[in-house]
Amino acid sequence: MSGIALTAPAAGHSRGHHLRRTIALALPVMLARAGLVVLVTVDTVLVGHAGGRELAFFAISTAPQLIMQTVGVGLLLGTVVLTAQADGAGRFEECGRIWRLALLIALGLGLIYSFVELHGEGVLRLLGQGPEISVGGGGVLHMWAIGMPGIMLYMATTSFLEGISHPRAAMVVSLSANLLNFALVWALVSGHGGLPALGAAGAALGTSITLWVMFLVLAGYALLLPEAKRFGIHAPLAGYYHLAGKLLLVGLPVALSVSFETTAFSGATIMAGWLGEASLAAYQLSINVTSFFYMLSLGLATAAAVRVGNAAGRGDRPGVARAGWIAAAMVFALMMAIGLAIHFFRDEIVTIYTEDAVVRAAALPALAVLSFLIVFDGLQGVLMGALRGVADVILPTASYALAFWGCAVPLCYYLGYRQGGGAVGLAWGLVAGLVLADILLALRFAIVSRRPVHRF
């Protein structure tokens, strides 16, 4: 990215300083992200106990839902990068303005996504799904459409607060919202409390309502911050609309890179749908388990982006390298421990989700493979976060294209569908793509972190 080279870095911070600050920022972000995954985990568990058919409908709805949601979040990640760099450089009043511009982008995205999801049945038919799965999954997507603007606005606000190192509010909101979500989904899936039994569609409706509540509470917190004046939260936007262009300039390549990864995972879900309801349910179950723990690594990825962005804002080249590599080492150790736990306790984990013998038989070997996947997935997420902290997004995006669509998707198709490997074959295809992504991103960060720092 173009910018002004800062060849006279400020005094660097020690490894211990970076470790402490990374943990202090990452832990609340981890818990906030984990809270979001718990929402979907609760949905998956409650729907799973409503039957394998409803779980299949819910699973197929997550394919387009996940693609749109994560691409949108990728586009909004420019909020974290620009806010962190402005904060590190002492341009505090830019931060609040960046947030409000991000809200406008988020609202537009959310409305576009809602329109697409209202035509969910047709989308699923275009993706090769059969009539029954398309109709059932399309009904679930109608309910997701209600909450899509809410999740986009929530993520824009979360990104702003994380960029100014105020992540605890999002953590509290995310974790507390699970109480509301559980009550709504429990009532709407099975028809408790006089409400209709909507099955998978009820889970999506309950979570959509929850997402709007989360945004409203978190936005209220941001508006009432004691430092609101310092961060320009209520300052006029006149003269700062050019920051929207910067948001998009950083966010568009990030959104593209995220789309390569997300469409690879969602593509595997679609292929699982080609293999039948049992394979689809087993794959969804296994991916949901690993996704829950992957959100912990996203906390470290966000911390890496913020800490690297702060160092870049100061012109601290050694600080950029230390912040990035320390976060990478931390996520590797964390995901290795979690992966081993999943591998050895996978039988007990599957029991939580379903009692269907056919789904269990397909899910157990897939989960064994995916227990290794989270190590490589977590590492690539943190490395990409570190690169985003210095606004290096073009070549990493190309790396994602090669790793996920040049490697993972073809192998998923060959191993999972053509060779009849089912959920296990799909999992091995994803592992191969993630390993390649790790190698390419690590090489890129090694190069970037040795160069003079550029402020975006």
Side-chain angles (χ1 to χ4, degrees):
M1 285 293 177
S2 61
I4 301 173
L6 304 175
T7 54
H13 294 295
S14 67
R15 289 183 178 86
H17 172 86
H18 280 292
L19 182 62
R20 290 189 298 273
R21 291 297 300 274
T22 299
I23 293 173
L25 178 57
L27 281 177
V29 177
M30 283 180 182
L31 292 173
R33 296 293 190 272
L36 290 174
V37 180
V38 171
L39 296 177
V40 181
T41 301
V42 167
D43 293 351
T44 304
V45 171
L46 292 177
V47 172
H49 286 284
R53 185 167 175 266
E54 290 296 324
L55 183 57
F57 294 157
F58 185 80
I60 202 62
S61 78
T62 63
Q65 164 76 6
L66 184 62
I67 291 172
M68 290 185 286
Q69 182 175 312
T70 53
V71 169
V73 170
L75 187 62
L76 295 169
L77 275 177
T79 310
V80 174
V81 174
L82 294 187
T83 302
Q85 289 200 3
D87 188 28
R91 303 189 308 274
F92 302 116
E93 286 198 355
E94 284 188 11
C95 297
R97 293 179 168 105
I98 290 169
W99 171 48
R100 284 182 290 144
L101 290 168
L103 288 178
L104 295 176
I105 296 171
L107 180 59
L109 274 173
L111 292 174
I112 292 170
Y113 288 164
S114 292
F115 177 80
V116 173
E117 289 185 327
L118 288 173
H119 298 80
E121 181 183 342
V123 171
L124 293 176
R125 288 182 183 275
L126 288 174
L127 295 173
Q129 301 304 311
E132 185 177 7
I133 288 181
S134 294
V135 172
V140 182
L141 283 169
H142 286 177
M143 299 303 181
W144 284 127
I146 296 171
M148 187 57 88
I151 185 61
M152 291 293 100
L153 292 165
Y154 172 81
M155 291 309 301
T157 306
T158 299
S159 296
F160 159 67
L161 291 171
E162 290 168 355
I164 60 172
S165 299
H166 281 60
R168 289 186 179 86
M171 174 191 72
V172 172
V173 170
S174 178
L175 294 175
S176 301
N178 277 277
L179 298 174
L180 172 62
N181 187 66
F182 178 84
L184 289 171
V185 174
W186 175 76
L188 290 167
V189 168
S190 302
H192 296 291
L195 295 174
L198 300 177
L205 175 59
T207 301
S208 291
I209 295 170
T210 302
L211 291 170
W212 273 107
V213 173
M214 291 168 65
F215 161 64
L216 293 173
V217 172
L218 196 63
Y221 169 83
L223 290 170
L224 297 173
L225 274 174
E227 307 100 315
K229 183 176 180 180
R230 178 189 182 212
F231 285 118
I233 288 175
H234 304 289
L237 290 175
Y240 287 88
Y241 286 104
H242 67 284
L243 292 174
K246 285 191 174 184
L247 279 170
L248 293 174
L249 192 59
V250 174
L252 283 172
V254 174
L256 184 60
S257 68
V258 169
S259 72
F260 288 131
E261 179 184 9
T262 305
T263 52
F265 276 82
S266 295
T269 303
I270 292 165
M271 293 178 206
W274 297 343
L275 295 167
E277 288 185 5
S279 291
L280 178 57
Y283 178 79
Q284 170 65 16
L285 184 160
S286 303
I287 282 294
N288 182 257
V289 173
T290 56
S291 295
F292 176 81
F293 292 106
Y294 174 69
M295 284 297 169
L296 300 180
S297 71
L298 280 187
L300 280 167
T302 301
V306 172
R307 298 294 300 144
V308 169
N310 289 159
R314 295 190 305 268
D316 180 6
R317 186 194 63 76
V320 166
R322 288 195 192 99
W325 291 122
I326 286 173
M330 291 172 66
V331 78
F332 183 83
L334 177 63
M335 292 297 105
M336 181 65 75
I338 292 173
L340 289 172
I342 291 174
H343 185 80
F344 289 114
F345 293 99
R346 61 188 183 277
D347 199 349
E348 291 80 1
I349 292 171
V350 170
T351 301
I352 297 172
Y353 282 83
T354 184
E355 297 172 357
D356 189 308
V358 177
V359 175
R360 282 177 54 84
L364 283 170
L367 195 55
V369 177
L370 291 172
S371 64
F372 297 104
L373 175 144
I374 65 168
V375 178
F376 304 112
D377 203 11
L379 183 58
Q380 65 83 20
V382 167
L383 289 169
M384 181 60 92
L387 288 165
R388 288 168 183 161
V390 289
D392 184 69
V393 291
I394 302 300
L395 286 179
T397 298
S399 298
Y400 263 31
L402 177 61
F404 291 110
W405 277 91
C407 178
V409 171
L411 282 176
C412 284
Y413 179 76
Y414 178 75
L415 296 174
Y417 183 68
R418 295 290 295 179
Q419 294 296 309
V424 174
L426 296 173
W428 278 120
L430 293 173
V431 169
L434 288 166
V435 171
L436 180 57
D438 286 333
I439 293 170
L440 295 174
L441 295 177
L443 290 173
R444 180 61 182 169
F445 187 69
I447 293 170
V448 170
S449 61
R450 286 181 169 87
R451 294 176 175 173
V453 180
H454 291 261
R455 182 189 302 159
F456 187 84

